[in-house]
Amino acid sequence: MSTHTQIEKNGLFELTDEARAELVSSKYYNEDLAPTSVSQRTWTTYNITMLWVGMSICVPALSLATGLVSQGVSPWLAVLNVALGNIIILIPIQLNSQIGCKYGIPFPGFARLTFGSIGAHVPALLRAITACGWTAIQAWVGGGAVAAIIGCFAPKFMDANWTINLPSWGGMQTTSTGTFIGYIIFMVFVAWVAYNGVERIKWVQNIGGPILIVLMIALMFWSVKIGNDAGFSFGEIMGQPNNQELIDASGGNFTVIYLVGLMGNIAFWATMALNIPDFSRYASSQKAQFRGQLYGMPLPMAFCAFVGALYAQSAELHNTSNGLQAGQAGYYNPFDVVSVLYNINSKIIVLIASIGVIMATITTCVAANVVAPANGFSNLSPKRISYKKGVLIAVFIAFFILQAWWIYGSGGAFFTWMNAYGTILAPIAAIFIADYFICKKRYVDIAALFKGQDGRYHYHNGVNWAAIIAWVVAFILPLFIYFGVQGAFWTFINSINYIWSFVVGFVVYLLLMKTSLAKDSFMTEDEHETLTRRS
């Protein structure tokens, strides 16, 4: 009988038909978590580029730069901060993409390789819960756009006095009824798109990407106009220096503000640094996934940062030159681009802008924030929970538990949210990279990922304690500041939280995997060859 369980075709691996048939009865296997066949890997550089364009161009991406400008950072330094953060996070994203493309495994399979068949629930659920929070936030933004469209025909939806009291973790909370209704409609649409699978997502990305680019260009010209109306040229708008008054109001330490912003910008894609195999497993080649991400993420994010910084500074100059304060007619909120768009008098512009926001939000929400939790929940019990059931669970948690009207509607700090979860997720990305490239030397027994205690990746009763220990050791110190611990050391650790957690997790994991905790999870090149048939 053949010992081959996997086939290699032009550098891409898939299960043999015999191995797949044998795994069907395993409780760790279902068709949604199964590795893709080589024939299913059809995504080209263009598809992957548009995937990232669709995810990158969104309202929160604008807020990365507007938030910094609102804290006193100059426009060009804000753009540099966002660009640098995205270049840094692209490194772990690219590295963790390789296993998905090469072996066709999704994020839960990668988690089993490193954390064990049961320990994999830790990174899967952490990624899932974080994604559900972002699903709620994105749906609230999209819901506002839906309400704006309806408001063009039914003005009641844009009536600030039409409110509703909603239960939340912070107690009863008053919010806009129109936005809440739009939120429900948008969330249902999100569920429908995600429920219909990855190919439906690809279709949305391919259509939405070009539209989003046009919308951002329009916002850029509109921002120049309001700056010009205030008496400032484009060069003068973008050439504004740091605003010391705003820096003092934000804590007074420019270095800390800038570093915390950088960590937040890195953490913006911390979730995708984990579950990127969910998408790279559909790439036609390593070159396609590498180029697609290189073209599709850093440049659109830098462009969003530029537009966001331009808008924020133009709004600040407009308000100052006209003596406007928050709440007064004509005031533009430097941080919140969307609220301005919804209050423009022209219904045509509101309609166009709102449709653009919906396109931007649906592509990001589905691709970045629903697929991962759906697969993560499916991984809990593959025989009972399919990807489609996982979608419904994710939407339920996003709506009822991680309530957007509480997270986003209560005015919580944008960078605090990203820094907190980035600190926790950073070591997981580091551990994945250390395990695959250094410990496992890129040799993977695909079938063993679905065999549980009969496979080489079950470790100790299903848990790789080296991964668990390294993860906890890495994130524990930076989190102390969120529990009231103060001092120069803790402020410094928090200001580099993502990098700290990443480096510590990487080093500690490598050291622990030199002990008996690694068990028999390593594979030699000869063993890998024994499992593989060349096509």
Side-chain angles (χ1 to χ4, degrees):
M1 179 178 291
S2 174
T3 59
H4 298 150
T5 58
Q6 54 197 40
I7 306 171
E8 184 267 329
K9 300 177 180 179
N10 297 319
L12 304 181
F13 291 72
E14 65 182 5
L15 285 171
T16 64
D17 292 338
E18 296 80 8
R20 192 178 291 269
E22 182 181 340
L23 293 173
V24 167
S25 60
S26 170
K27 69 177 183 179
Y28 295 97
Y29 181 94
N30 69 20
E31 289 303 317
D32 297 315
L33 295 178
T36 54
S37 64
V38 173
S39 64
Q40 290 176 305
R41 299 176 209 179
T42 60
W43 286 26
T44 64
T45 296
Y46 174 78
N47 297 140
I48 297 167
T49 299
M50 286 300 103
L51 171 77
W52 276 100
V53 168
M55 292 191 295
S56 297
I57 301 180
C58 60
V59 173
L62 290 172
S63 301
L64 295 174
T66 61
L68 285 168
V69 172
S70 298
Q71 293 181 81
V73 178
S74 70
W76 282 122
L77 283 181
V79 174
L80 176 63
N81 191 296
V82 176
L84 182 59
N86 281 275
I87 290 172
I88 292 172
I89 193 61
L90 183 61
I91 296 171
I93 288 175
Q94 290 278 22
L95 291 173
N96 284 332
S97 291
Q98 292 201 14
I99 190 171
C101 182
K102 183 175 181 178
Y103 290 101
I105 62 174
F107 164 58
F110 199 1
R112 291 175 188 174
L113 174 75
T114 305
F115 279 77
S117 50
I118 296 174
H121 296 328
V122 171
L125 288 178
L126 283 171
R127 171 62 178 98
I129 297 302
T130 304
C132 288
W134 274 109
T135 297
I137 291 171
Q138 294 279 2
W140 192 259
V141 171
V146 172
I149 290 175
I150 298 175
C152 290
F153 308 97
K156 185 73 172 176
F157 271 75
M158 300 307 294
D159 184 353
N161 296 317
W162 190 32
T163 60
I164 184 173
N165 292 321
L166 297 172
S168 75
W169 295 108
M172 296 301 293
Q173 188 167 328
T174 302
T175 191
S176 165
T177 303
T179 298
F180 181 66
I181 294 173
Y183 173 61
I184 295 173
I185 294 172
F186 190 85
M187 188 69 84
V188 170
F189 184 49
V190 165
W192 177 78
V193 173
Y195 191 84
N196 281 280
V198 174
E199 286 304 309
R200 179 75 65 178
I201 296 171
K202 185 173 74 172
W203 177 82
V204 173
Q205 305 295 343
N206 291 342
I207 298 296
I211 295 175
L212 301 180
I213 294 172
V214 172
L215 176 68
M216 296 303 294
I217 293 173
L219 178 59
M220 178 181 67
F221 282 111
W222 185 77
S223 298
V224 172
K225 179 182 182 302
I226 64 172
N228 291 163
D229 290 344
F232 296 88
S233 67
F234 169 79
E236 290 171 330
I237 296 170
M238 291 301 295
Q240 292 293 307
N242 291 338
N243 187 323
Q244 191 59 47
E245 183 179 343
L246 291 177
I247 290 173
D248 291 339
S250 302
N253 191 321
F254 173 80
T255 301
V256 171
I257 291 171
Y258 203 74
L259 284 175
V260 169
L262 180 62
M263 294 304 105
N265 283 314
I266 293 172
F268 188 78
W269 292 119
T271 50
M272 286 299 287
L274 302 187
N275 80 291
I276 189 62
D278 285 335
F279 299 99
S280 64
R281 66 180 180 142
Y282 292 97
S284 57
S285 67
Q286 294 288 4
K287 183 182 293 185
Q289 67 88 8
F290 178 83
R291 289 181 175 177
Q293 294 184 107
L294 184 63
Y295 302 157
M297 194 267 267
L299 291 178
M301 288 297 292
F303 177 62
C304 275
F306 168 73
V307 174
L310 175 63
Y311 163 75
Q313 192 64 64
S314 294
E316 192 70 48
L317 294 172
H318 165 84
N319 294 335
T320 302
S321 65
N322 289 284
L324 297 171
Q325 301 293 325
Q328 293 182 327
Y331 174 84
Y332 294 137
N333 186 334
F335 178 74
D336 188 359
V337 180
V338 177
S339 64
V340 176
L341 294 177
Y342 296 162
N343 287 284
I344 295 173
N345 291 328
S346 171
K347 290 184 179 181
I348 295 297
I349 294 178
V350 171
L351 283 172
I352 294 173
S354 298
I355 291 171
V357 169
I358 288 173
M359 292 296 295
T361 306
I362 191 66
T363 52
T364 305
C365 191
V366 173
N369 301 318
V370 180
V371 171
N375 283 332
F377 294 132
S378 178
N379 185 57
L380 288 174
S381 182
K383 289 302 179 186
R384 293 188 179 91
I385 305 175
S386 65
Y387 163 80
K388 290 187 174 182
K389 288 181 180 178
V391 168
L392 298 179
I393 293 171
V395 170
F396 179 87
I397 291 175
F399 189 93
F400 290 102
I401 299 178
L402 297 169
Q403 306 139 339
W405 55 91
W406 173 58
I407 296 178
Y408 197 66
S410 61
F414 191 57
F415 286 112
T416 299
W417 153 255
M418 291 190 295
N419 278 320
Y421 78 68
T423 300
I424 296 173
L425 298 185
I428 297 177
I431 290 167
F432 280 177
I433 293 169
D435 186 68
Y436 178 61
F437 285 96
I438 300 177
C439 297
K440 303 298 195 305
K441 297 180 180 178
R442 292 185 288 180
Y443 298 134
V444 176
D445 179 354
I446 305 175
L449 295 170
F450 302 91
K451 291 182 177 180
Q453 62 186 15
D454 296 325
R456 68 173 71 239
Y457 306 122
H458 197 63
Y459 297 93
H460 296 268
N461 297 317
V463 178
N464 180 6
W465 288 104
I468 298 295
I469 294 170
W471 168 61
V472 174
V473 169
F475 78 71
I476 198 68
L477 288 183
L479 281 190
F480 279 2
I481 199 167
Y482 296 105
F483 295 96
V485 178
Q486 298 181 350
F489 172 76
W490 302 105
T491 299
F492 171 72
I493 293 298
N494 184 60
S495 69
I496 58 167
N497 50 29
Y498 189 94
I499 293 175
W500 171 280
S501 296
F502 189 97
V503 172
V504 172
F506 189 92
V507 173
V508 173
Y509 182 75
L510 288 180
L511 293 174
L512 291 176
M513 285 298 280
K514 294 182 180 294
T515 70
S516 60
L517 292 176
K519 215 171 180 184
D520 58 352
S521 62
F522 299 151
M523 185 190 313
T524 65
E525 182 179 3
D526 289 340
E527 289 177 299
H528 191 256
E529 285 298 309
T530 300
L531 297 174
T532 305
R533 183 168 71 238
R534 305 295 174 183
S535 174

